[in-house]
Amino acid sequence: MSRRYTRALITGAGSGIGESLYRLIGEQGIEVCALDQHFASEAQLPMVQVQADINDPQLISQLKLQSTNSFDLVIHCAGTNAVGQFEGLDACTMQKVLETNLLAPMRITRDLIKTDLVTPNACHVFVASLSCFVGYPGASAYAGSKEGLWAFARCLNESLRKTGGAVLTVFPGPTDTPHAMQHSSDNSSRHRRMCPDQLAQRIWRAVQAERSVLFGRPREALFAWCAYLLPHASARLMGRWMLPVAPARNDTGPSSTTMSD
Amino acid sequence: MLTKSRTIVITGISRGIGFQLARILCEQGHRVIGTGRTPAESLAGFVPHAIADSENKLHRINFRRTNEGCGSSTDGHGVTCDYVQCDLSDQCQTDEFVCLLNEQVEQIDMLIHNAAIGYYGPLAQQEDLDALVASNSIAPILLTRALSKLLMTSRQPKVVFISSAHSLWPTTEFSAYVASKCALEGFARSLQVEWRGKAQVQVLFPGATATSMHQSAGVPEETIASFKRVDDVAMAKRIADAVSRSASWRALYFKDGFVRYLSRIALPILCLRNVWIRA
């Protein structure tokens, strides 16, 4: 039997996977609080759009002012990237990547728990990356932030197990999002990327089934599996694919969209 | 043991593993430049010896003699290393440290990221997550980038990240600490690919060590007593041995190494279980 949810919080809901998710979840009749810096279109009720930066330490206080009802589904989609040769990347950009992808989800989760703005048996979803399984040359700070996020999700899963909570970590793989278009050095193979709506469907089904890990497609799972068991071979392969690394692109773009890798 | 004399930068040498590691590497004849947040005058295990630069930032300090001795003495006080008081989570202080190194050394052969802070307890009670991520994840990444030019001047540059055995399995009370250490691993894995043939990147996983870190992290005394902890000198010796080898990943406990390999096998099984969700 699938679990029912009543109130959801989605970060990075302005575009990409976050946008697909918040439309899909909203259609289920769930009250959705969508969080982002920019929204392309006005949402229909029962959705609430909150324009805010997830790096703002006062974010949860802002949310508390809007409503004191607790969320039973929290989806962390917001993320950013910095691609290019490591030595050439701007220090502030790399810092922002770590703060947005790792620190902000940790801080939001802590503050939601602390202020009782999330139910003890809530489901928390973190969008990580396939770089948790294989080296990602040219985006090392991004890979680090996503690996840290996955570790945090594993720890949170352990602690929420006692209260009936669930934690899902998603490893999307190449997804056709605006952020992927912005940061990918080669968009010629765009047609091979997964559609965000399709991924959102899979995430929603995994949330209902209270799964702990989800890959974009079986091929991504197979790739991750092989990379994990054969780290040296996969590192060599990634080196051949990704190197020479493109010159540094220090534009992080909006911290709202999810990078597909 | 590293055979040739190298210039080694170690972060967080004012106490614990970093202190012992700096001492061992100094004894081996390397030039060690250490950092720490403690002022040079207040360092417990050192004797301030001289100020080496015009701006009073680089302190030349001697290790105090211990019962087991400090190796060969060149000046009657023990082995000497350079020390810079610097909080690496502060970008301005990091920039000053990098400028100082650019003035004082021609190359860096090895950069060892040892400095870290930890918090223990339920997530809701872990107050300063910003400081934790800044010290454990952001500072090592930005320092590696800032020193990459000096590192690449060396013929055999090496960057070593001291992670933690805690990162090998989920630990609810150390959740933020584990996340910050795993972030370093993910970063190192990608940098290994990017710097292949240019520089070696190594990650070490020390187990529980008898340092003051557990107390400062807020671990209760009875919990600390239940840990089987290795002496900090013994752990520093293992690290000094590990940095002289070329393995990319090295668990410094057999038990942790075993868990690491076990987790590599267990995780894909977990993934396979989840792969059959159809949209």
Side-chain angles (χ1 to χ4, degrees):
Chain A
M1 202 179 95
S2 62
R3 189 172 154 181
R4 296 193 67 80
Y5 297 91
T6 54
R7 194 159 187 253
L9 172 69
I10 305 175
T11 69
S15 64
I17 303 167
E19 187 188 18
S20 298
L21 265 171
Y22 110 84
R23 293 200 183 282
L24 176 71
I25 293 172
E27 281 165 18
Q28 317 294 318
I30 296 168
E31 187 188 339
V32 182
C33 178
L35 204 67
D36 210 321
Q37 285 180 309
H38 312 281
F39 287 94
S41 56
E42 288 281 315
Q44 305 296 312
L45 286 174
M47 300 175 202
V48 180
Q49 289 180 343
V50 179
Q51 280 202 339
D53 183 359
I54 58 163
N55 289 310
D56 180 2
Q58 303 304 318
L59 177 71
I60 299 302
S61 313
Q62 270 186 51
L63 288 178
K64 192 115 190 167
L65 285 176
Q66 297 210 344
S67 170
T68 51
N69 292 339
S70 298
F71 298 104
D72 51 10
L73 175 61
V74 182
I75 304 179
H76 298 271
C77 273
T80 186
N81 199 354
V83 286
Q85 201 178 19
F86 173 65
E87 300 96 302
L89 283 169
D90 177 45
C92 293
T93 311
M94 282 198 281
Q95 185 170 345
K96 194 176 177 194
V97 168
L98 282 146
E99 285 175 352
T100 306
N101 297 359
L102 175 63
L103 178 60
M106 280 165 58
R107 199 199 285 126
I108 290 171
T109 308
R110 180 201 61 188
D111 292 347
L112 285 172
I113 294 172
K114 211 169 160 182
T115 53
D116 292 327
L117 214 53
V118 66
T119 58
N121 64 346
C123 177
H124 299 255
V125 181
F126 297 92
V127 178
S129 159
L130 285 183
S131 62
C132 295
F133 296 89
V134 64
Y136 190 1
S140 41
Y142 173 81
S145 66
K146 291 296 185 183
E147 175 96 24
L149 186 69
W150 184 29
F152 177 72
R154 290 201 304 266
C155 295
L156 189 69
N157 197 18
E158 282 298 303
S159 62
L160 292 183
R161 202 172 277 178
K162 298 164 204 161
T163 56
V167 178
L168 168 69
T169 313
V170 184
F171 304 97
T175 311
D176 191 17
T177 59
H179 208 185
M181 288 289 288
Q182 185 191 348
H183 290 289
S184 178
S185 56
D186 178 18
N187 285 311
S188 59
S189 57
R190 195 184 158 188
H191 61 281
R192 286 194 211 149
R193 293 178 189 160
M194 195 176 185
C195 169
D197 289 342
Q198 197 188 346
L199 180 62
Q201 286 273 2
R202 287 178 62 80
I203 293 173
W204 175 237
R205 286 177 70 92
V207 165
Q208 286 181 307
E210 295 190 49
R211 301 278 178 167
S212 56
V213 177
L214 175 74
F215 288 91
R217 287 170 290 193
R219 74 171 83 153
E220 273 83 39
L222 190 67
F223 174 73
W225 200 87
C226 294
Y228 208 73
L229 289 178
L230 303 165
H232 295 292
S234 60
R236 218 166 293 142
L237 196 68
M238 285 299 280
R240 208 170 294 168
W241 274 349
M242 310 291 283
L243 293 176
V245 177
R249 289 166 65 181
N250 289 326
D251 50 331
T252 51
S255 68
S256 57
T257 47
T258 304
M259 166 70 186
S260 77
D261 44 339
Chain B
M1 182 178 154
L2 295 164
T3 46
K4 276 165 61 182
S5 176
R6 311 261 172 104
T7 302
I8 302 172
V9 174
I10 311 175
T11 64
I13 69 158
S14 50
R15 57 189 173 159
I17 296 174
F19 169 77
Q20 298 298 348
L21 182 63
R23 187 173 65 80
I24 291 166
L25 292 173
C26 282
E27 283 171 14
Q28 290 178 359
H30 304 293
R31 183 186 178 189
V32 173
I33 303 166
T35 70
R37 284 180 296 179
T38 313
E41 311 78 50
S42 316
L43 288 168
F46 303 94
V47 182
H49 178 51
I51 291 167
D53 73 320
S54 54
E55 290 179 27
N56 299 348
K57 282 178 189 158
L58 190 69
H59 293 261
R60 194 142 286 162
I61 50 176
N62 295 320
F63 289 88
R64 280 187 204 280
R65 283 185 179 280
T66 60
N67 289 339
E68 53 181 287
C70 284
S72 58
S73 166
T74 51
D75 54 9
H77 291 288
V79 286
T80 306
C81 88
D82 291 334
Y83 179 81
V84 181
Q85 187 203 346
C86 175
D87 180 358
L88 293 168
S89 61
D90 181 338
Q91 192 57 46
C92 294
Q93 291 191 37
T94 305
D95 291 344
E96 281 178 18
F97 174 58
V98 172
C99 283
L100 187 68
L101 286 178
N102 277 315
E103 287 167 15
Q104 297 288 327
V105 296
E106 287 180 2
Q107 66 178 47
I108 296 170
D109 300 299
M110 193 183 291
L111 171 60
I112 303 177
H113 295 286
N114 166 72
I117 55 172
Y119 292 126
Y120 178 89
L123 179 66
Q125 288 169 21
Q126 298 191 10
E127 283 301 322
D128 211 351
L129 291 179
D130 297 45
L132 185 110
V133 173
S135 298
N136 297 4
S137 310
I138 297 173
I141 292 173
L142 297 189
L143 186 64
T144 306
R145 180 196 157 276
L147 296 181
S148 58
K149 225 175 228 177
L150 281 174
L151 276 164
M152 293 306 170
T153 319
S154 169
R155 287 182 67 187
Q156 286 179 303
K158 185 167 188 171
V159 182
V160 181
F161 295 95
I162 311 276
S163 183
S164 165
H166 278 299
S167 67
L168 302 177
W169 57 84
T171 318
T172 54
E173 287 83 7
F174 278 115
S175 55
Y177 176 75
V178 167
S180 67
K181 287 295 187 182
C182 282
L184 277 189
E185 284 175 56
F187 167 74
R189 191 189 298 119
S190 296
L191 198 63
Q192 275 167 0
V193 183
E194 198 172 326
W195 278 6
R196 185 182 292 273
K198 287 202 288 184
Q200 204 193 339
V201 180
Q202 188 180 44
V203 186
L204 304 176
F205 301 88
T209 310
T211 64
S212 58
M213 188 170 175
H214 288 106
Q215 279 92 346
S216 55
V219 184
E221 286 299 330
E222 58 271 25
T223 311
I224 296 173
S226 69
F227 289 160
K228 194 180 170 189
R229 299 198 298 170
V230 175
D231 179 30
D232 56 350
V233 179
M235 184 55 78
K237 280 181 183 164
R238 289 184 197 184
I239 293 174
D241 178 54
V243 298
S244 67
R245 295 169 192 269
S246 60
S248 304
W249 309 88
R250 197 170 175 85
L252 298 171
Y253 260 154
F254 170 75
K255 184 185 76 181
D256 298 333
F258 180 69
V259 170
R260 182 168 175 80
Y261 290 118
L262 203 66
S263 68
R264 290 199 85 83
I265 296 165
L267 198 87
I269 295 168
L270 182 76
C271 298
L272 273 180
R273 193 172 68 88
N274 286 282
V275 85
W276 306 115
I277 303 167
R278 301 205 182 277

